[in-house]
Amino acid sequence: WLYFSTRMNPHNVTAYIVAAFFLVHDCGRPDLAEQVLREAQRHNPYNYQVYLEQGRVALKQAKFKSATRAFDAALRLLPNMENPDDIGRCIDKAAILTFRGLLYETIGEIEQALTCYKAVLGMFPEREGLKERVSQLETNARASISPDVIWQNMIGIHRYICSAEEDTHH
Protein backbone atom coordinates (compact mmCIF):
# COMPACT_ATOMS: atom_id res chain seq x y z
CA TRP A 1 0.00 0.00 0.00
CA LEU A 2 2.94 2.32 0.57
CA TYR A 3 4.08 1.75 -3.02
CA PHE A 4 0.64 2.67 -4.33
CA SER A 5 0.45 5.64 -2.00
CA THR A 6 3.67 7.09 -3.44
CA ARG A 7 2.45 6.44 -6.98
CA MET A 8 -0.84 8.20 -6.36
CA ASN A 9 0.81 11.10 -4.56
CA PRO A 10 4.57 11.40 -5.09
CA HIS A 11 4.61 14.31 -2.63
CA ASN A 12 3.49 12.09 0.25
CA VAL A 13 6.87 12.14 1.97
CA THR A 14 5.62 10.18 4.96
CA ALA A 15 4.76 7.20 2.75
CA TYR A 16 8.31 7.14 1.37
CA ILE A 17 9.82 7.44 4.83
CA VAL A 18 7.66 4.71 6.33
CA ALA A 19 8.45 2.45 3.36
CA ALA A 20 12.18 3.06 3.81
CA PHE A 21 11.96 2.37 7.54
CA PHE A 22 10.24 -0.98 7.00
CA LEU A 23 12.60 -1.93 4.18
CA VAL A 24 15.59 -1.39 6.48
CA HIS A 25 14.22 -2.74 9.76
CA ASP A 26 11.74 -5.45 8.81
CA CYS A 27 13.09 -6.60 5.44
CA GLY A 28 16.81 -5.99 5.98
CA ARG A 29 17.00 -4.24 2.61
CA PRO A 30 18.75 -0.89 3.04
CA ASP A 31 19.55 -0.97 -0.68
CA LEU A 32 15.84 -0.82 -1.50
CA ALA A 33 15.30 1.83 1.17
CA GLU A 34 17.97 3.96 -0.53
CA GLN A 35 16.13 3.55 -3.86
CA VAL A 36 12.84 4.61 -2.29
CA LEU A 37 14.49 7.66 -0.74
CA ARG A 38 16.18 8.65 -4.00
CA GLU A 39 12.75 8.57 -5.63
CA ALA A 40 11.36 10.65 -2.76
CA GLN A 41 14.21 13.11 -3.25
CA ARG A 42 13.46 13.41 -6.99
CA HIS A 43 9.83 14.30 -6.25
CA ASN A 44 10.52 16.33 -3.09
CA PRO A 45 14.01 17.81 -3.46
CA TYR A 46 13.57 20.42 -0.75
CA ASN A 47 11.99 18.29 1.96
CA TYR A 48 14.36 17.93 4.90
CA GLN A 49 12.61 14.77 6.10
CA VAL A 50 13.84 12.80 3.08
CA TYR A 51 17.44 13.74 3.91
CA LEU A 52 16.96 12.94 7.59
CA GLU A 53 15.83 9.45 6.63
CA GLN A 54 18.70 9.08 4.14
CA GLY A 55 21.04 9.88 7.02
CA ARG A 56 19.46 7.22 9.21
CA VAL A 57 19.74 4.60 6.47
CA ALA A 58 23.38 5.56 5.86
CA LEU A 59 24.18 5.30 9.57
CA LYS A 60 22.55 1.88 9.72
CA GLN A 61 25.05 0.80 7.08
CA ALA A 62 28.01 2.62 8.70
CA LYS A 63 28.30 4.98 5.71
CA PHE A 64 29.41 7.93 7.79
CA LYS A 65 30.26 10.36 5.00
CA SER A 66 26.89 9.76 3.33
CA ALA A 67 25.14 10.17 6.68
CA THR A 68 26.99 13.43 7.34
CA ARG A 69 26.03 14.83 3.94
CA ALA A 70 22.41 13.82 4.41
CA PHE A 71 22.12 15.33 7.91
CA ASP A 72 23.83 18.53 6.79
CA ALA A 73 21.37 18.81 3.88
CA ALA A 74 18.46 18.17 6.26
CA LEU A 75 19.63 21.01 8.51
CA ARG A 76 19.97 23.39 5.57
CA LEU A 77 16.48 22.53 4.29
CA LEU A 78 14.75 22.56 7.67
CA PRO A 79 12.26 25.42 7.66
CA ASN A 80 12.78 28.25 10.13
CA MET A 81 11.55 27.37 13.56
CA GLU A 82 9.36 30.46 13.74
CA ASN A 83 6.52 28.49 15.32
CA PRO A 84 7.87 26.99 18.56
CA ASP A 85 4.65 25.00 18.86
CA ASP A 86 5.60 22.86 15.85
CA ILE A 87 6.82 20.03 18.04
CA GLY A 88 7.34 17.67 15.09
CA ARG A 89 9.91 19.94 13.49
CA CYS A 90 11.56 20.57 16.85
CA ILE A 91 11.90 16.82 17.41
CA ASP A 92 13.30 16.37 13.91
CA LYS A 93 15.79 19.21 14.37
CA ALA A 94 16.89 17.73 17.69
CA ALA A 95 17.36 14.32 16.05
CA ILE A 96 19.39 15.80 13.19
CA LEU A 97 21.59 17.76 15.58
CA THR A 98 22.05 14.74 17.84
CA PHE A 99 23.00 12.48 14.92
CA ARG A 100 25.36 15.17 13.67
CA GLY A 101 26.90 15.55 17.12
CA LEU A 102 27.45 11.81 17.35
CA LEU A 103 29.16 11.84 13.96
CA TYR A 104 31.37 14.72 15.09
CA GLU A 105 32.29 12.73 18.19
CA THR A 106 33.17 9.73 16.06
CA ILE A 107 35.82 11.71 14.20
CA GLY A 108 37.08 13.44 17.34
CA GLU A 109 35.61 16.88 16.71
CA ILE A 110 34.35 17.31 20.26
CA GLU A 111 33.75 21.08 20.14
CA GLN A 112 31.44 20.72 17.13
CA ALA A 113 29.66 17.83 18.86
CA LEU A 114 29.14 19.98 21.95
CA THR A 115 27.74 22.80 19.82
CA CYS A 116 25.15 20.40 18.38
CA TYR A 117 24.24 18.93 21.76
CA LYS A 118 23.90 22.33 23.41
CA ALA A 119 21.56 23.42 20.62
CA VAL A 120 19.39 20.38 21.36
CA LEU A 121 19.43 21.19 25.07
CA GLY A 122 18.32 24.72 24.19
CA MET A 123 15.18 23.19 22.70
CA PHE A 124 14.75 20.32 25.17
CA PRO A 125 16.51 21.21 28.44
CA GLU A 126 14.97 18.21 30.22
CA ARG A 127 17.13 15.68 28.33
CA GLU A 128 19.19 14.43 31.25
CA GLY A 129 21.15 11.86 29.25
CA LEU A 130 22.33 14.53 26.85
CA LYS A 131 23.24 16.84 29.73
CA GLU A 132 25.37 14.04 31.18
CA ARG A 133 27.02 13.43 27.80
CA VAL A 134 27.88 17.13 27.48
CA SER A 135 29.34 17.10 30.99
CA GLN A 136 31.44 14.01 30.23
CA LEU A 137 32.71 15.48 26.96
CA GLU A 138 33.57 18.79 28.60
CA THR A 139 35.40 17.04 31.44
CA ASN A 140 37.05 14.08 29.72
CA ALA A 141 36.67 14.81 25.97
CA ARG A 142 35.02 11.40 25.95
CA ALA A 143 31.61 9.98 26.92
CA SER A 144 30.96 6.69 28.69
CA ILE A 145 28.63 5.42 25.95
CA SER A 146 30.04 5.30 22.43
CA PRO A 147 28.27 7.28 19.71
CA ASP A 148 27.39 4.16 17.69
CA VAL A 149 25.43 2.65 20.58
CA ILE A 150 23.34 5.80 20.82
CA TRP A 151 22.65 6.18 17.13
CA GLN A 152 21.73 2.49 16.80
CA ASN A 153 19.07 3.08 19.47
CA MET A 154 17.92 6.30 17.79
CA ILE A 155 17.64 4.69 14.36
CA GLY A 156 15.03 2.26 15.69
CA ILE A 157 12.88 5.05 17.09
CA HIS A 158 10.87 6.73 14.41
CA ARG A 159 8.18 9.26 15.11
CA TYR A 160 6.37 8.68 11.80
CA ILE A 161 6.00 4.99 12.55
CA CYS A 162 5.10 5.55 16.19
CA SER A 163 2.38 8.08 15.42
CA ALA A 164 0.95 5.84 12.69
CA GLU A 165 0.83 2.92 15.10
CA GLU A 166 -0.80 5.05 17.79
CA ASP A 167 -3.51 6.08 15.33
CA THR A 168 -4.35 2.44 14.58
CA HIS A 169 -4.62 1.56 18.26
CA HIS A 170 -7.17 4.27 19.05
Side-chain angles (χ1 to χ4, degrees), residues 59-75:
L59 270 182
K60 182 79 172 163
Q61 301 174 84
K63 295 179 178 178
F64 303 133
K65 287 183 181 182
S66 294
T68 298
R69 283 191 302 272
F71 293 132
D72 286 347
L75 274 176

Side-chain angles (χ1 to χ4, degrees), residues 75-100:
L75 274 176
R76 280 191 309 275
L77 294 170
L78 189 73
N80 277 337
M81 304 301 287
E82 294 169 2
N83 181 1
D85 295 330
D86 189 348
I87 191 69
R89 282 199 184 134
C90 287
I91 290 169
D92 286 346
K93 184 175 184 179
I96 295 166
L97 287 167
T98 302
F99 282 127
R100 201 57 191 91

Side-chain angles (χ1 to χ4, degrees), residues 93-94 97 113-124 130:
K93 184 175 184 179
L97 287 167
L114 287 169
T115 299
C116 291
Y117 299 151
K118 288 176 181 179
V120 173
L121 289 171
M123 294 184 291
F124 297 101
L130 193 55

Side-chain angles (χ1 to χ4, degrees), residues 1 8-9 13 18-19 26 39 41 50 55 63 70 72 90 96-97 103-104 108 126 131-132 140 162 165:
W1 66 266
M8 291 186 65
N9 180 2
V13 171
V18 172
D26 291 356
E39 181 180 327
Q41 187 178 4
V50 173
K63 295 179 178 178
D72 286 347
C90 287
I96 295 166
L97 287 167
L103 285 163
Y104 278 128
E126 68 280 358
K131 284 181 191 174
E132 177 62 24
N140 307 322
C162 297
E165 288 176 352

